[in-house]
Amino acid sequence: MASKPRAPASAKSPADRGKSKAAKAEMASAQFENSYSEPQGNGGETHQTATQQTGVLTTQQGVPVADDQNTLRIGARGPALLEDFHFREKIFHFDHERIPERVVHARGYGANGFFELTKSLSKVTRADLFQREGDRTPAFVRFSTVAGSKGSPDLARDVRGFAVKLYTNEGNWDLVGNNIPVFFIQDAIKFPDIIHAVKPAPDRDFPQAQSAHDNFWDFISLTPESLHMIMWVMSDRALPRSFRFMEGFGVHTFRLINAKGESTFVKFHWKPKLGLQSVMWNEAVKINGADPDFHRRDLWDAIKGENFPEWELGVQLFDQKFADSFEFDVLDATKLIPEEQVPVEPVGRLVLDRTVDNFFAETEQVAFCTQNVVPGIDFSDDPLLQGRNFSYLDTQLKRLGGPNFTHIPVNAPRCPMTHFQQDGHMAMKNPKGRVNYEPNSWGAMGGPREAPDKGFPTFAAEVSETKVRLRPESFADHYSQARLFFLSQTPVEQKHIRDALVFELSKCERPDIRARVVSHLLNIDDSLAARVAEGLRLDLPEPAKAARPTLRLPASDPLSILKHPTSFEGRKLGILVTDDANAELIRSLIAAVGKAGAVYEVIAPHIGGAILSDGSTLPAAQKIGGGPSVLYDAVAIVASDAGGHELAKDAAARDFASDAFAHCKFIGYADGALPLLQKAGIAESLDEGCVSISTDADAAAFVETCAKLRHWVRELAVELDA
């Protein structure tokens, strides 16, 4: 396609005039694809074929590639084949791109704890940890962001890793999941591409830890299977207030195998005891500046304060009959099963009660592998899961120096480990005696032997299909569940998704990429697409070609954060105080916070604290400039008359008040704080979320009100876009 003629200099837009010469040259030389009808495969995936301009995609050996979208498998829905040399080479090279930092999930934080079984699953699995109610299994959990480097901030808009290593009596089980139940891609062969697209561009090495750029959205716009995940990542789920307030998911469909060899499909869910909570985008940007370690510090402080984070393990159990009748393919990792169709059954709890002794030794060296399962848990033929099973082991071999990473204490099983593997980098123990092979004729001295009755059983699934490189047609619906997620959100949450899409796409220089994304949104929800287009001042394009019509599914309340009950338990109140502040009122606030199961932090003009009205000194944790209101779930400003006037002169104090108001937080204030509120520009706009406190009863009522977490109706008054 010929590029459009350049407009004369006088006709250039302000945006064009602001571009650098290099950017203009790059855009001028690019052949933009303005058609949104890219060739699609059997499952609706985009296929771009070679032309004289693009050249032919090959392997590292120069072998032309016929299909870069699908791994080789037995039948469209069958297991992946190890002989797929293109997939293995692509994943192998991707796994070895970084040393020693993880390619993905580099920014992580871990803690120790335990899993306690509360309901036996002995009828559906022989796995030892699911047999006896009350049994506790040691655990190590690592939370992480995906896209950023080790030095990136905690509150980037991103997926959060939620990886759990359980040291069972039968070996280690790694449930390597995320805080979002679906993923961007359906086939592991595309994993290098999605990560390359979101990571810093190879020529300029930015942007870091963000998806608001051309490469990411170009890939997304050409990969419609990603649209469901995009709804989640543009939602508040991608900006969790804390690791303690986010869900975890195993993502894939697994199998449970019982003592009779019978199979039950399962999806795993971690639900936080304290409920769900996120922050606003503007708040996240400021938190990253004020405390880039916000999530790390929160987890550390909670455990050290013995407010142990806790999650409930739930399972969705279903059989082949349900899998066959479900509207979507249970092997498709871009789809979830609504809880209304298959309820989540609570079976245990995960408690984190000990921080690491050494960050590098444990959090950095912990190696999670999806292939690490125990007898009674097995894999499905999900092509993304099958690819991960290959990829993760290869990754750990490179990152940790060789095959003996299980000798590192955090990775070592807590049950006996006996085998004939030996030598290699950093071998800490080798077989004793003369025997290092089997079978052998050395009897009792011959070492370990097979145990058919206890060993890992693979479910005997029948497979008899043609060997193909093909995406199943049952994977082809890319918009129905994206629509389901969007329509399951409250109006406030829907607004946040729209705002996020407008912000992200506004950072794309290429208008055709913006338009292509909006063309996909038209298949999800007309109003969503229209509002995003309006925010971008973009004419609505034609809808993208859909491989399957979008279904009208009923909304699912569990997909919303704000539809869940809330509590102030585990949250933090920031109390801004001045000299001569009402001592009795402050003590009442502190008592009410403790009663609610929350914590507080004192902010004062001086780090030495404040001298209260009764002459006592209240120590401060933060000086005003170092303790902005974004670090707290709600704030109280308890100032004397003189102190309030002094605060009004301070820019950081004014920001403290105005940011809390802009972020829809509950604000408690004593009369002395009114001059500050006036100077901050919010005194004339005080609403029901701003509570005057002067008595013990006022303090208790204010903290009780904070259980609602945010006064969301205020958002309509503080944002131009609203």
Side-chain angles (χ1 to χ4, degrees):
M1 179 183 294
S3 59
K4 294 182 178 179
R6 293 186 180 180
S10 59
K12 288 183 179 178
S13 69
D16 285 336
R17 289 196 296 271
K19 291 191 177 82
S20 69
K21 290 182 179 179
K24 292 176 186 175
E26 179 180 350
M27 293 181 69
S29 65
Q31 294 293 318
F32 292 165
E33 175 57 71
N34 291 314
S35 168
Y36 311 124
S37 56
E38 297 278 352
Q40 292 184 337
N42 203 49
E45 73 276 14
T46 299
H47 288 267
Q48 294 179 317
T49 54
T51 66
Q52 286 186 336
Q53 288 75 29
T54 63
V56 174
L57 180 67
T58 74
T59 68
Q60 284 188 313
Q61 307 302 321
V63 179
V65 173
D67 185 340
D68 192 40
Q69 312 305 316
N70 302 292
T71 51
L72 187 66
R73 58 178 68 94
I74 300 178
R77 297 183 67 250
L81 294 176
L82 191 61
E83 72 178 73
D84 188 349
F85 61 86
H86 171 50
F87 165 73
R88 287 188 289 116
E89 178 193 275
K90 188 173 180 180
I91 287 290
F92 172 81
H93 191 280
F94 173 68
D95 290 341
H96 294 247
E97 285 182 3
R98 304 283 192 277
I99 56 170
E101 184 178 284
R102 288 169 170 86
V103 177
V104 290
H105 297 277
R107 174 76 176 181
Y109 210 60
N112 296 278
F114 63 86
F115 170 74
E116 180 179 0
L117 187 68
T118 57
K119 182 178 180 179
S120 174
L121 288 174
S122 58
K123 290 184 178 180
V124 293
T125 180
R126 55 177 279 193
D128 183 73
L129 82 160
F130 288 130
Q131 301 304 304
R132 299 166 296 277
E133 294 174 7
D135 272 11
R136 289 188 174 185
T137 302
F140 186 87
V141 179
R142 186 179 187 270
F143 305 103
S144 55
T145 53
V146 173
S149 67
K150 284 174 60 177
S152 59
D154 278 351
L155 257 170
R157 177 181 290 282
D158 201 353
V159 188
R160 296 307 186 284
F162 195 125
V164 181
K165 185 180 290 290
L166 295 171
Y167 304 93
T168 84
N169 294 330
E170 298 175 304
N172 292 350
W173 174 36
D174 293 352
L175 186 57
V176 194
N178 290 325
N179 73 325
I180 291 175
V182 294
F183 204 62
F184 288 105
I185 53 175
Q186 296 172 327
D187 193 307
I189 200 170
K190 300 309 298 173
F191 198 72
D193 298 302
I194 177 63
I195 299 304
H196 283 172
V198 76
K199 285 279 191 176
D203 58 348
R204 63 207 66 189
D205 200 39
F206 67 82
Q208 168 66 248
Q210 59 175 301
S211 55
H213 57 95
D214 287 87
N215 280 11
F216 176 75
W217 286 102
D218 182 41
F219 178 83
I220 294 301
S221 69
L222 295 170
T223 312
E225 68 204 62
S226 299
L227 267 294
H228 185 198
M229 180 72 158
I230 283 296
M231 290 295 102
W232 284 80
V233 177
M234 294 299 108
S235 79
D236 295 341
R237 297 274 185 157
L239 298 171
R241 154 65 176 84
S242 162
F243 299 137
R244 300 180 293 128
F245 306 138
M246 72 181 192
E247 290 182 298
F249 302 91
V251 179
H252 306 284
T253 296
F254 291 86
R255 291 183 184 271
L256 296 179
I257 311 297
N258 66 13
K260 299 178 182 178
E262 299 166 332
S263 168
T264 302
F265 288 119
V266 61
K267 281 183 173 285
F268 296 103
H269 298 247
W270 298 108
K271 292 185 177 290
K273 177 185 176 182
L274 298 177
L276 298 168
Q277 186 180 346
S278 294
V279 302
M280 300 175 72
W281 170 245
N282 180 270
E283 192 178 4
V285 171
K286 294 177 178 177
I287 290 173
N288 282 336
D291 184 4
D293 304 307
F294 185 69
H295 283 162
R296 293 182 171 205
R297 195 182 312 278
D298 176 88
L299 186 67
W300 179 275
D301 288 347
I303 295 175
K304 289 299 185 182
E306 298 187 354
N307 299 310
F308 300 132
E310 184 173 330
W311 291 262
E312 181 180 77
L313 176 64
V315 293
Q316 286 181 300
L317 301 173
F318 55 98
D319 57 16
Q320 188 65 54
K321 182 179 179 180
F322 173 85
D324 292 339
S325 64
F326 183 50
E327 299 97 322
F328 307 95
D329 198 319
V330 299
L331 303 184
D332 181 354
T334 68
K335 305 297 189 297
L336 54 80
I337 300 177
E339 294 184 29
E340 290 82 0
Q341 291 181 258
V342 179
V344 175
E345 180 182 349
V347 298
R349 67 189 188 110
L350 173 70
V351 179
L352 300 183
D353 58 1
R354 184 169 64 84
T355 59
V356 299
D357 295 323
N358 182 273
F359 178 84
F360 180 83
E362 296 173 81
T363 305
E364 274 303 290
Q365 291 197 119
V366 66
F368 294 97
C369 297
T370 57
Q371 69 180 45
N372 291 351
V373 294
V374 294
I377 302 173
D378 202 356
F379 311 112
S380 71
D381 289 337
D382 175 344
L384 182 62
L385 174 59
Q386 297 232 333
R388 292 179 75 193
N389 288 345
F390 170 84
S391 176
Y392 278 56
L393 176 60
D394 187 47
T395 296
Q396 306 305 349
L397 291 173
K398 178 66 176 181
R399 193 173 65 83
L400 296 174
N404 293 312
F405 61 85
T406 55
H407 295 190
I408 300 171
V410 71
N411 296 318
R414 308 286 172 87
C415 63
M417 179 172 58
T418 51
H419 51 68
F420 294 116
Q421 296 171 20
Q422 67 177 46
D423 304 344
H425 287 288
M426 305 300 290
M428 300 298 164
K429 60 179 182 178
N430 269 356
K432 294 181 180 180
R434 69 179 295 169
V435 184
N436 58 356
Y437 61 94
E438 68 88 27
N440 64 64
S441 57
W442 293 97
M445 296 185 297
R449 296 290 191 268
E450 298 172 358
D453 57 331
K454 296 181 180 179
F456 181 86
T458 297
F459 180 66
E462 292 187 14
V463 178
S464 58
E465 293 205 45
T466 307
K467 186 167 60 177
V468 294
R469 191 183 292 276
L470 191 67
R471 194 78 59 96
E473 291 184 12
S474 55
F475 280 32
D477 184 342
H478 301 318
Y479 303 109
S480 297
Q481 288 210 349
R483 175 182 171 82
L484 164 66
F485 179 79
F486 181 72
L487 295 182
S488 298
Q489 307 304 298
T490 64
V492 168
E493 292 169 301
Q494 289 181 350
K495 175 188 177 297
H496 293 169
I497 293 173
R498 292 193 300 264
D499 290 349
L501 284 164
V502 171
F503 171 82
E504 295 263 326
L505 293 174
S506 73
K507 298 296 184 180
C508 293
E509 292 188 6
R510 286 180 50 169
D512 60 317
I513 292 176
R514 300 177 204 153
R516 200 182 302 136
V517 174
V518 173
S519 75
H520 290 294
L521 300 181
L522 283 164
N523 290 328
I524 297 172
D525 182 75
D526 288 342
S527 65
L528 170 64
R531 293 294 293 273
V532 172
E534 179 184 358
L536 297 169
R537 291 215 167 167
L538 175 76
D539 292 335
L540 276 176
E542 291 296 315
K545 180 183 176 183
R548 292 279 183 89
T550 302
L551 302 177
R552 266 47 182 173
L553 304 171
S556 176
D557 284 351
L559 301 183
S560 164
I561 291 178
L562 298 185
K563 290 179 182 177
H564 291 272
T566 53
S567 163
F568 204 56
E569 182 181 359
R571 275 67 176 182
K572 182 184 287 188
L573 177 69
I575 308 175
L576 176 57
V577 301
T578 68
D579 286 345
D580 294 323
N582 187 323
E584 184 178 346
L585 180 59
I586 291 172
R587 293 191 184 99
S588 298
L589 268 175
I590 291 173
V593 168
K595 186 177 180 182
V599 295
Y600 70 96
E601 197 163 82
V602 173
I603 309 100
H606 305 283
I607 193 62
I611 301 173
L612 304 183
S613 58
D614 62 356
S616 63
T617 298
L618 180 67
Q622 302 282 357
K623 189 178 182 296
I624 293 176
S629 60
V630 293
L631 301 181
Y632 310 104
D633 298 291
V635 299
I637 307 172
V638 185
S640 62
D641 290 341
H645 282 93
E646 286 300 308
L647 288 179
K649 301 175 185 177
D650 183 70
R654 295 196 297 270
D655 287 346
F656 184 95
S658 62
D659 278 348
F661 189 81
H663 298 146
C664 303
K665 294 183 180 179
F666 288 99
I667 302 172
Y669 65 94
D671 289 344
L674 287 172
L676 172 62
L677 303 184
Q678 187 74 41
K679 272 290 189 180
I682 61 175
E684 306 303 320
S685 305
L686 299 182
D687 52 33
E688 293 179 355
C690 303
V691 181
S692 174
I693 51 175
S694 58
T695 66
D696 293 356
D698 291 341
F702 167 67
V703 173
E704 187 175 335
T705 300
C706 291
K708 300 174 185 177
L709 300 182
R710 298 293 173 110
H711 188 59
W712 287 117
V713 295
R714 186 188 301 153
E715 189 171 7
L716 298 176
V718 297
E719 276 196 26
L720 181 64
D721 289 343

